């Protein structure tokens, strides 16, 4: 069992939890992820490592399905059954020159760490973070701290620029020389946003989040098409060259269990209503 | 007692084979001639003194029989169930020449089950040596090596990346063939020697390599968990599984009991399993128990099926349809699988394995409607850790090259099981692990 030391709703339906997991925290690097299982009947789900500090790992996630709702309902001092990691390769941190880090929605979770690592490696780092509205924007302070400049967008204009992160990225790459770009967010957002750097051939990384089970390369559930080849996001990724990823196929595979996910969430909501658990 | 009726057992995941009663076991044990030079022992990868333990069963000394086995094999209840005895010990039994060989596997299982029923005694271990050994992986190789090394008095830490120990015994082999309480009981007995198991530790990631190499010796038993895919079109459709994924979802995550358990799995009415080995049989029979009509497609002839004959029979009894001499060419569907196209295969001259090579017959294709395709065409050695360790020699399949005693090119690192051989059997992994443990012992004795 792994204790949740702190938990906090940092934005609308977006939570941060700090899990006591020395084996993960002491070895985590920017860009990696964990797989967690909340309890004995739980499923294994991958979540990005937002930050590691001492023996604690910070995970930032949006309550979307049953497992994330259950995770959000865990109180500080309680525990989750399992956390394995850090998994996957770290981000490719080196002296690129000028880097742009784009985070969308809950995908902003691990952008501060990547930005900090790139900054420490001597890069100029430009941040763009976007959310649906001001109430769903996360980690703005950390990104402002980590980046040389930060742009904020909201879909509804309630904060920062009215529009999408992709709009800002397009302008930046039109005006300046950019050497590497990270785009992390919902799959559709990564697909659309990465088009902004394709023509110019700017090296662009996206962090893929397909359905996983073990996270160690043993099941193949997370297989994706990158540059026409089958790769396992868990051990070959999670970051890949955006311009080589078959996003449509990824989205198709992410939808496979939609019916069961709805059913599980409905059961959870019923459970919360009947016993008053949760938030 | 024999097998439970097929029409009953396809509705649950309880064990198919009920084993022997005490009287049946004694009668079977009495058939053993107690050969002076027992050929059966030569066939056993861990050299169990087979006539000795069978003799004890004949005398109704069941616990003593189990203890006798356990001097050579700490996992008799598991091996009694999943070893291919018919090609190892039983095939060499002298009685098999005229009638049926002694049912050694059933007797091994019986003795182990009797001991477990009456309470397993903690194994004895030597005084602490002060040496520390890391065992990577808690499958058949890892458990065996950990047990052997702990008995010698070494301090053993066993790492497992999943949330439960046991490796393929836990995530791979279904409970109707190997009940999980039995796996747990035999595993607990090894852990009772003081082996520390660290779950959720993915060595190479959660445990850096320098930390791993700070142990006095390391045993790699990371197995062959890398699923192969055929590389045909349609493989990325929803509903295409590797056997590993399908079995893991059910055996480890209990997806068959969704939504009581959170892990989902396809709600399928018609499943096609590709492959002919034990894993293919396990996947087919698991899908059958979840209510699907199941067809198994194998590229060679029925007599070439690599699975144990008993498993093929079990699968047939349970209503699995076999289509042999056929191979999938593409998987059909828009987003979700709707069918699989296969081509008939012609059997040509025998290859090195003594089986005919299968060659497609041009144009002779047919389609099977289905909503799930499970590929059970084999697994390769887990590559992740192995490729990151400097100083290991790797074979063509990505396996760790080790000699017959588990020694690798790295002086501190030993390897056993599927990571050295590619996908093989539980017992071969255990045999390899025993030898590797002996090599580690000799290394530690010289220091």
């Amino acid at each position: 069992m792994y204790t949740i030391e702190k938990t906090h709703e940092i934005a609308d339906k977006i939570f941060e939890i700090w899990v006591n997991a020395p084996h993960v925290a002491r070895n985590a690097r920017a860009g990696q992820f964990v797989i967690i299982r909340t309890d004995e009947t739980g499923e294994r789900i991958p979540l990005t490592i937002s930050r590691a500090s001492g023996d604690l790992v910070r995970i930032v996630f949006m309550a979307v399905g049953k497992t994330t709702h259950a995770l959000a309902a865990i109180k500080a001092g309680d525990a989750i059954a399992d956390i394995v990691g850090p998994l996957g390769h770290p981000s490719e941190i080196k002296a690129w020159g000028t880097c742009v880090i784009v985070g969308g929605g809950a995908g902003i979770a691990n952008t501060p760490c990547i930005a900090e690592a790139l900054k420490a490696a001597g890069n100029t780092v430009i941040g763009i973070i976007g959310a649906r509205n001001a109430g769903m924007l996360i980690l703005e302070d950390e990104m402002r701290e980590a980046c040389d400049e930060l742009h904020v967008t909201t879909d509804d204009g309630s904060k920062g620029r009215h529009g999408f992160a992709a709009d800002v990225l397009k302008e930046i790459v039109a005006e300046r020389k950019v050497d590497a770009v990270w785009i992390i967010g919902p799959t559709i957002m990564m697909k659309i946003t990465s088009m902004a750097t394709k023509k110019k051939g700017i090296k662009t990384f996206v962090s893929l989040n397909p359905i996983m089970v073990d996270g160690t390369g043993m099941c193949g559930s997370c297989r994706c098409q990158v540059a026409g080849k089958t790769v396992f996001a868990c051990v070959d990724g999670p970051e890949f060259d955006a311009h080589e990823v078959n996003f449509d196929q990824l989205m198709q595979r992410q939808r496979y269990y939609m019916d069961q996910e709805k059913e599980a969430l409905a059961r959870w909501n019923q459970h919360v209503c009947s016993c008053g658990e949760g938030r | 007692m024999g097998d439970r009726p097929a029409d009953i057992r396809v509705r649950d995941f309880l064990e198919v084979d009920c084993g022997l009663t005490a009287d049946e076991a004694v009668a079977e044990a009495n058939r053993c001639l107690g050969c002076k030079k027992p050929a059966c022992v030569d066939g056993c990868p861990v050299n169990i003194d087979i006539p000795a333990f069978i003799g004890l069963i004949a005398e109704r000394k069941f616990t003593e029989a189990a203890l006798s086995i356990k001097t050579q094999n700490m996992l008799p209840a598991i091996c009694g169930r999943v070893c291919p005895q018919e090609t190892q010990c039983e095939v060499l039994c002298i009685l098999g020449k005229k009638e049926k060989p002694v049912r050694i596997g059933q007797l091994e299982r019986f003795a182990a089950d009797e001991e477990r029923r009456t309470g397993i005694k903690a194994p004895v271990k030597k005084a602490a040596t002060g040496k520390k050994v890391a065992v990577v992986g808690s499958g058949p190789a890892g458990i065996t090596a950990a047990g052997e090394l702990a008995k010698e008095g070494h301090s053993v830490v066993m790492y497992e990346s999943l949330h439960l120990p046991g490796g393929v015994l836990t995530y791979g082999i279904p409970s109707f063939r190997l009940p999980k309480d039995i796996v747990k009981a035999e595993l607990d007995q090894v852990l009772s020697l003081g082996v520390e198991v660290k779950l959720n530790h993915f060595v190479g990631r959660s445990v850096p390599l320098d930390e791993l190499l700070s142990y006095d010796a390391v045993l790699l038993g990371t197995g062959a968990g890398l699923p192969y895919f055929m590389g045909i079109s349609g493989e990325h459709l929803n509903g295409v599984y590797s056997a590993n994924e399908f079995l893991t979802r059910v055996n480890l995550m209990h997806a068959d009991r969704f939504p009581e358990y959170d892990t989902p799995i396809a709600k399928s009415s018609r499943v096609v399993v590709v492959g002919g080995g034990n894993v293919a049989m396990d996947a087919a029979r698991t899908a059958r128990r979840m209510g699907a009509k199941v067809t198994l497609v194998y590229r060679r002839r029925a007599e070439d099926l690599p699975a144990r004959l008993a498993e093929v029979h079990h699968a047939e009894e349970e209503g699995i349809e076999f289509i042999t001499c056929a191979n999938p060419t593409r998987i059909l569907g828009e987003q979700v699988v709707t069918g699989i196209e296969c081509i008939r295969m012609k059997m040509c001259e025998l290859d090195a394995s003594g089986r005919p090579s299968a060659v497609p017959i041009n144009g002779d294709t047919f389609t099977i409607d289905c909503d799930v395709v499970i590929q059970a065409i084999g697994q390769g050695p887990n590559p992740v850790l192995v490729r990151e360790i400097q100083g290991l020699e790797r074979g063509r399949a990505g396996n760790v090259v080790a000699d017959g005693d588990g020694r690798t090119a790295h002086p501190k690192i030993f390897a056993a099981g599927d990571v050295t051989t590619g996908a093989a059997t539980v017992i071969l992994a255990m045999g390899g692990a025993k030898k590797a443990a002996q090599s580690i012992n000799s290394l530690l004795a010289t220091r």
Side-chain angles (χ1 to χ4, degrees):
Chain A
M1 299 294 276
Y2 302 85
T3 308
I4 308 277
E5 302 287 353
K6 285 183 272 182
T7 172
H8 179 49
E9 185 168 2
I10 58 172
D12 189 16
K13 287 203 159 187
I14 303 180
F15 297 80
E16 69 162 32
I17 57 173
W18 289 85
V19 189
N20 192 323
H23 65 300
V24 182
R26 291 177 193 171
N27 299 298
R29 286 156 71 192
Q32 292 182 301
F33 65 100
V34 291
I35 285 202
I36 64 112
R37 195 175 69 121
T38 52
D39 55 33
E40 285 311 307
T41 58
E43 61 180 334
R44 295 169 64 97
I45 63 160
L47 290 166
T48 185
I49 296 171
S50 176
R51 189 175 285 290
S53 173
D55 287 349
L56 304 186
V57 182
R58 181 174 72 178
I59 300 168
V60 173
F61 60 95
M62 189 187 289
V64 181
K66 194 245 146 154
T67 301
T68 43
H69 274 92
L71 200 57
I74 296 174
K75 295 176 180 66
D78 289 347
I80 55 172
D82 301 289
I83 176 167
V84 56
L87 299 171
H89 293 291
S91 304
E92 199 177 323
I93 304 297
K94 63 175 188 184
W96 293 89
T98 299
C99 303
V100 181
I101 320 287
V102 187
I108 300 168
N110 67 346
T111 55
C113 261
I114 300 174
E116 284 163 21
L118 286 167
K119 186 76 188 151
N123 295 283
T124 300
V125 182
I126 302 166
I128 309 171
I129 53 174
R132 231 176 283 162
N133 55 54
M136 296 180 80
L137 189 72
I138 58 168
L139 305 180
E140 185 188 348
D141 291 349
E142 288 184 27
M143 277 300 275
R144 201 168 294 284
E145 180 88 3
C147 299
D148 293 288
E149 69 180 73
L150 181 70
H151 303 261
V152 175
T153 68
T154 49
D155 299 1
D156 67 354
S158 53
K159 182 156 196 184
R161 177 166 158 175
H162 188 174
F164 298 114
D167 306 334
V168 180
L169 179 62
K170 262 183 236 161
E171 290 169 11
I172 290 174
V173 299
E175 292 161 7
R176 290 184 250 181
K177 181 178 171 294
V178 171
D179 301 289
V181 174
W182 271 258
I183 304 169
I184 303 174
T187 308
I188 184 72
M189 171 267 185
M190 294 194 286
K191 177 187 173 180
I192 306 278
T193 312
S194 62
M195 288 173 180
T197 58
K198 189 164 187 182
K199 237 190 227 160
K200 292 207 154 199
I202 301 169
K203 182 75 176 174
T204 302
F205 297 96
V206 285
S207 182
L208 305 187
N209 189 18
I211 297 169
M212 294 186 186
V213 184
D214 63 282
T216 63
M218 283 174 47
C219 79
S221 169
C222 68
R223 62 191 186 276
C224 299
Q225 286 267 320
V226 178
K229 278 194 204 140
T230 297
V231 294
F232 290 178
C234 66
V235 291
D236 299 322
E239 292 184 3
F240 293 101
D241 183 339
H243 303 137
E244 301 284 1
V245 171
N246 185 336
F247 287 105
D248 293 339
Q249 193 179 74
L250 173 60
M251 286 186 276
Q252 165 224 306
R253 289 186 61 77
Q254 285 170 330
R255 282 193 296 266
Y256 188 36
Y257 297 110
M258 226 155 57
D259 289 349
Q260 285 102 320
E261 284 162 14
K262 276 185 197 150
E263 187 184 342
L265 184 59
R267 260 174 70 99
W268 167 259
N269 286 332
Q270 214 171 13
H271 162 75
V272 171
C273 290
S274 64
C275 75
E277 214 180 277
R279 290 163 192 249
Chain B
M1 289 186 280
D3 296 344
R4 295 162 60 225
D7 58 329
I8 307 259
R9 69 189 196 228
V10 293
R11 290 184 232 146
D12 61 46
F13 282 80
L14 301 176
E15 191 166 18
V16 167
D17 183 345
C18 299
L20 304 175
T21 63
D23 289 341
E24 286 168 348
V26 172
E28 185 66 19
N30 275 314
R31 293 180 61 229
C32 177
L33 301 177
C35 302
K36 281 239 166 54
K37 285 185 183 169
C40 53
V41 179
D42 295 336
C44 176
V46 294
N47 302 312
I48 293 171
D49 188 344
I50 294 167
F53 93 78
I54 291 183
L56 288 164
I57 292 177
E59 294 172 38
R60 291 192 166 266
K61 294 180 179 164
F62 303 143
T63 303
E64 287 85 342
L67 293 176
S68 162
I69 300 170
K70 288 207 299 203
T71 59
Q72 296 300 323
N73 175 357
M74 291 189 75
L75 312 175
I78 293 169
C79 291
R81 287 171 167 83
V82 302
C83 268
Q85 292 96 6
E86 65 280 2
T87 60
Q88 294 181 162
C89 51
E90 292 179 9
V91 72
L92 299 171
C93 176
I94 197 91
L95 286 181
K97 295 211 165 106
K98 284 194 170 166
E99 36 171 336
K100 283 188 172 164
V102 174
R103 297 166 74 192
I104 301 167
Q106 285 287 350
L107 292 174
E108 178 183 27
R109 169 188 164 165
F110 170 79
D113 288 355
E114 279 298 303
E115 193 212 4
R116 197 175 62 257
R117 203 172 56 76
T118 53
I120 296 180
K121 285 180 193 58
V124 189
K125 63 172 178 177
K126 294 184 185 165
T129 61
K131 304 281 194 231
K132 290 188 75 178
V133 185
V135 171
V136 187
S138 67
I143 299 167
T144 302
E148 296 294 329
L149 292 162
K151 279 201 268 188
E152 292 297 324
H154 307 308
S155 149
V156 181
V157 176
M158 182 162 65
Y159 293 103
E160 168 57 51
S161 65
L162 290 173
H163 58 265
L164 285 177
V168 74
L169 305 171
T170 297
Y171 75 76
I173 303 177
S175 53
F176 54 81
R177 210 149 70 77
L178 181 63
K180 298 308 153 206
D181 54 337
I182 287 167
V183 175
K184 184 171 186 310
E186 296 211 322
L187 214 84
D188 282 348
Q189 155 204 229
V190 172
L191 299 186
S192 75
L193 285 160
V195 173
E196 183 187 358
V197 58
K198 292 196 173 193
L199 301 173
N200 294 316
H201 279 63
F202 191 32
V203 174
R205 295 272 189 275
S206 319
V207 183
L209 293 180
D210 53 351
E211 186 180 330
L212 185 69
L213 292 171
S214 71
Y215 286 86
D216 296 307
V218 176
L219 183 282
L220 293 181
T222 46
L226 174 73
Y228 289 145
F229 288 91
M230 297 188 73
I232 57 178
S233 84
E235 251 167 20
H236 290 81
L237 291 169
N238 295 341
V240 180
Y241 291 88
S242 71
N244 265 9
E245 181 186 351
F246 192 81
L247 290 169
T248 300
R249 281 182 182 272
V250 177
N251 296 334
L252 180 71
M253 306 308 298
H254 307 293
D256 55 303
R257 286 158 72 183
F258 179 89
E260 183 195 342
Y261 283 77
D262 293 338
T263 302
I265 196 162
K267 291 175 190 161
S268 169
S269 56
R270 184 123 194 217
V271 172
V272 169
V273 176
V274 183
N278 288 320
V279 175
M281 299 305 147
D282 285 347
R285 297 171 68 199
T286 297
R288 181 79 186 93
R289 280 162 173 74
M290 292 169 63
K293 178 178 184 330
V294 183
T295 304
L296 186 140
V297 176
Y298 175 60
R299 64 199 176 115
R300 293 193 175 102
R301 303 165 304 178
E303 58 263 45
D304 301 316
L305 284 165
R308 294 180 71 184
L309 202 55
E311 302 310 327
V312 175
H313 285 160
H314 281 146
E316 283 171 340
E317 285 170 3
E318 289 166 11
I320 312 291
E321 179 194 15
F322 284 70
I323 297 180
T324 53
C325 301
N327 208 26
T329 44
R330 62 189 171 123
I331 301 166
L332 310 169
E334 290 290 326
Q335 298 201 3
V336 182
V337 174
T338 57
I340 186 166
E341 182 192 82
C342 303
I343 189 160
R344 303 236 182 247
M345 305 292 276
K346 164 172 78 181
M347 298 302 113
C348 299
E349 67 283 357
L350 301 184
D351 64 15
S353 69
R355 299 178 300 180
S357 62
V359 176
I361 304 168
N362 253 344
D364 192 355
T365 60
F366 61 97
T367 300
I368 310 169
D369 294 335
C370 62
D371 39 27
V372 160
V373 170
I374 302 172
Q375 301 204 18
I377 57 163
Q379 301 96 237
N382 283 344
V384 178
L385 173 61
V386 169
R387 70 185 171 205
E388 288 180 8
I389 301 178
Q390 302 288 317
L392 275 186
E393 192 189 338
R394 288 197 296 148
R396 265 180 51 199
N399 55 302
V400 176
V401 175
D403 70 10
D405 294 316
R407 292 188 186 85
T408 72
H410 191 295
K412 244 188 191 183
I413 301 179
F414 298 77
D418 284 3
V419 75
T420 62
T421 57
T425 61
V426 169
I427 191 68
L428 285 175
M430 292 175 59
K434 275 184 74 173
K435 287 187 180 146
Q438 282 156 10
S439 301
I440 290 174
N441 246 335
S442 331
L443 171 81
L444 298 183
T446 60
R447 291 217 187 142

